[in-house]
Amino acid sequence: MKIGILGLPASGKTTIFNSLTRGKADVGGFGATRSANIGVAHVPDERVDILTKMFKSKKTIYAEVQYVDLPGSSSGELFEGEAMAQLQQVDAILHVARAFEDGSVPHLEGTVDYKRDIEKVAFDIMFADIALIERRVDRLTGSLKTMKVADRDEATKNIDTLKRIQADLENGIAIRDRDLEPSEIKAMSDTFTLSSLPLLVALNIGEDDIANTQALEKELDGLLEGRLTGGAAICGSLEAELVGMSEEEETEMRAGLDAGEPGLSRMIKVSYKVLGLNSFLTVGEDETRAWTVKIGALAPKAAAVIHSDIERGFIRAETVAYKDFIEAGTMAEARNRGQFRQEGREYVVQDGDILNFLFSV
Ligand SMILES: Nc1nc2c(ncn2[C@@H]2O[C@H](COP(=O)(O)OP(=O)(O)OP(=O)(O)O)[C@@H](O)[C@H]2O)c(=O)[nH]1
Ligand SMILES: [Mg+2]
């Protein structure tokens, strides 16, 4: 899973990217990020920590989310050059919206107003799509003349469909908010669009607002009514400070602030939910590990995440739900309780399943 970070100049994109990925990219504002920063965040997962201890695993590996901090332009143009090329590779967009007040950091619009900025970026995304679809329609229309008659009908239909989607975008309907009909999916298949991607918002709040986090997130949820959207409030400057600390120092500092669950953890969890992802777990002396699958994935698809050979030679999966395993305390007891199950190809993997695949190649 890969998430592209964008937002207005100096909204704190790189600051939040650094905290998510424990990176050290240059911050500064107004064009400080000239080329994309790419990094990986670990998905915090207490289950992985607990299982590591129980199995005395030598290694602990968390699920990962890749973040790309997109280069911006000082004029606030979001979709030019390298940024656009990077966006074609992402599974979701993360908009960093500035909510912190700081006189020493200028704002493109002169004032801090995250509602306005969230609306503007959502609008810009749709506006970019209108241009992308227009270009596609022009190209298709241009090629009609030289097309075989048999293909022309189909192409004409696709053009009409694209124009309909464009008209809806002009009326403020993002592609992620539509139920695409099969004909629409087909017409769109060669057209890259941005408003079809899930849209996440990280509200970059000031330190004064940390105590207000819950109320702000509630408000943010109200602003993000559309489908495939979600958000969290993060205090960029605090998180940036914490990245440099040891784990003990960090825990102590967070406890002192009464900030609750770190915004970064919530952000990653919201991303998981909006993208429709689950984690399954594998355990053993060598390693305890979390893996990412799409909700609804069948056992062989989950096996493929580990290795294509395991999917190819899939025989069956042995599984116990994390919760059941913890209650039972050992695999043997889970077996006694009938909670250690054998599942076949049609099994739909659940979040928190501890899985072992039997396969032969
Ligand atoms: N007070 C305060 N300052 C912040 C916060 N987050 C970022 N900043 C400051 O805002 C400035 C811009 O931060 P960056 O993270 O570089 O912002 P950016 O969006 O990546 O900027 P560009 O890549 O240049 O568009 C820096 O001086 C940061 O230190 C915050 O939560 N509070
Ligand atoms: Mg930056």
Side-chain angles (χ1 to χ4, degrees):
M1 179 170 69
K2 193 168 175 178
I3 297 181
I5 301 177
L6 54 72
L8 299 184
S11 51
K13 300 180 289 296
T14 304
T15 303
I16 286 183
F17 166 84
N18 281 342
S19 348
L20 283 164
T21 62
R22 301 204 154 241
K24 292 194 169 62
D26 286 345
V27 299
F30 278 88
T33 308
R34 298 200 186 282
S35 64
N37 299 306
I38 299 180
V40 161
H42 294 163
V43 180
D45 194 334
E46 191 194 48
R47 299 170 301 189
V48 175
D49 301 322
I50 291 172
L51 291 171
T52 295
K53 285 202 191 103
M54 291 175 79
F55 286 86
K56 301 193 171 63
S57 314
K58 291 193 202 91
K59 263 195 294 183
T60 308
I61 306 177
Y62 300 91
E64 288 181 346
V65 180
Q66 211 184 1
Y67 286 94
V68 188
D69 175 26
L70 300 167
S73 69
S74 50
S75 64
E77 169 57 53
L78 300 174
F79 307 114
E80 51 188 27
E82 196 199 339
M84 196 59 169
Q86 289 285 352
L87 280 166
Q88 307 213 7
Q89 317 287 328
V90 305
D91 302 297
I93 291 174
L94 171 58
H95 169 205
V96 172
R98 172 172 170 182
F100 68 87
E101 294 279 355
D102 185 337
S104 68
V105 182
H107 192 295
L108 185 68
E109 308 282 346
T111 52
V112 174
D113 179 346
Y114 60 85
K115 283 185 206 161
R116 172 198 62 207
D117 295 347
I118 289 171
E119 256 174 48
K120 180 181 183 324
V121 168
F123 175 83
D124 284 354
I125 288 173
M126 289 192 277
F127 200 67
D129 275 359
I130 292 170
L132 287 163
I133 291 179
E134 241 165 12
R135 239 178 291 154
R136 176 86 188 130
V137 165
D138 284 350
R139 234 179 302 135
L140 271 174
T141 310
S143 65
L144 278 181
K145 282 185 233 94
T146 54
M147 239 177 228
K148 279 193 248 142
V149 184
D151 295 336
R152 210 174 289 165
D153 259 4
E154 170 97 24
T156 311
K157 258 189 229 149
N158 286 348
I159 291 173
D160 290 344
T161 306
L162 288 172
K163 282 185 175 163
R164 198 166 63 233
I165 295 172
Q166 184 187 332
D168 282 351
L169 281 163
E170 281 159 2
N171 287 320
I173 302 171
I175 296 172
R176 76 180 89 78
D177 278 325
R178 323 168 50 107
D179 287 313
L180 287 177
E181 294 162 18
S183 65
E184 293 178 321
I185 294 173
K186 206 158 139 228
M188 294 292 293
S189 64
D190 292 326
T191 312
F192 169 72
T193 52
L194 294 156
S195 75
S196 50
L197 296 169
L199 177 61
L200 304 159
V201 173
L203 203 58
N204 187 6
I205 61 173
E207 306 209 4
D208 305 345
D209 271 326
I210 291 177
N212 251 336
T213 298
Q214 275 192 339
L216 283 164
E217 288 192 344
K218 213 163 168 194
E219 195 182 309
L220 182 61
D221 282 344
L223 293 173
L224 298 169
E225 287 175 324
R227 286 189 209 170
L228 298 178
T229 56
I234 301 175
C235 178
S237 55
L238 168 72
E239 296 297 338
E241 230 174 286
L242 293 178
V243 163
M245 294 185 181
S246 71
E247 215 170 296
E248 291 87 53
E249 283 174 322
E250 181 178 337
T251 312
E252 202 175 303
M253 181 108 173
R254 283 197 200 279
L257 283 164
D258 197 18
E261 187 187 12
L264 299 173
S265 308
R266 283 196 313 282
M267 189 73 246
I268 297 173
K269 283 185 190 162
V270 168
S271 310
Y272 239 59
K273 200 167 134 223
V274 171
L275 281 157
L277 302 173
N278 274 345
S279 290
F280 71 88
L281 309 156
T282 54
V283 294
E285 235 176 79
D286 279 346
E287 65 173 40
T288 287
R289 180 163 183 169
W291 308 79
T292 306
V293 278
K294 279 259 170 206
I295 291 176
L298 300 180
K301 270 282 157 278
V305 177
I306 301 177
H307 200 287
S308 56
D309 280 352
I310 311 180
E311 180 186 23
R312 209 153 39 87
F314 182 89
I315 300 171
R316 63 176 193 276
E318 301 176 326
T319 185
V320 54
Y322 172 79
K323 228 174 95 245
D324 292 341
F325 173 71
I326 294 299
E327 274 170 30
T330 61
M331 280 296 171
E333 179 57 20
R335 232 180 257 266
N336 285 342
R337 297 180 177 197
Q339 288 164 332
F340 184 85
R341 293 165 285 124
Q342 307 291 323
E343 300 283 359
R345 302 189 154 270
E346 299 304 315
Y347 177 64
V348 178
V349 171
Q350 305 295 311
D351 189 58
D353 275 352
I354 299 172
L355 278 165
N356 179 42
F357 295 104
L358 304 179
F359 67 107
S360 86
V361 283

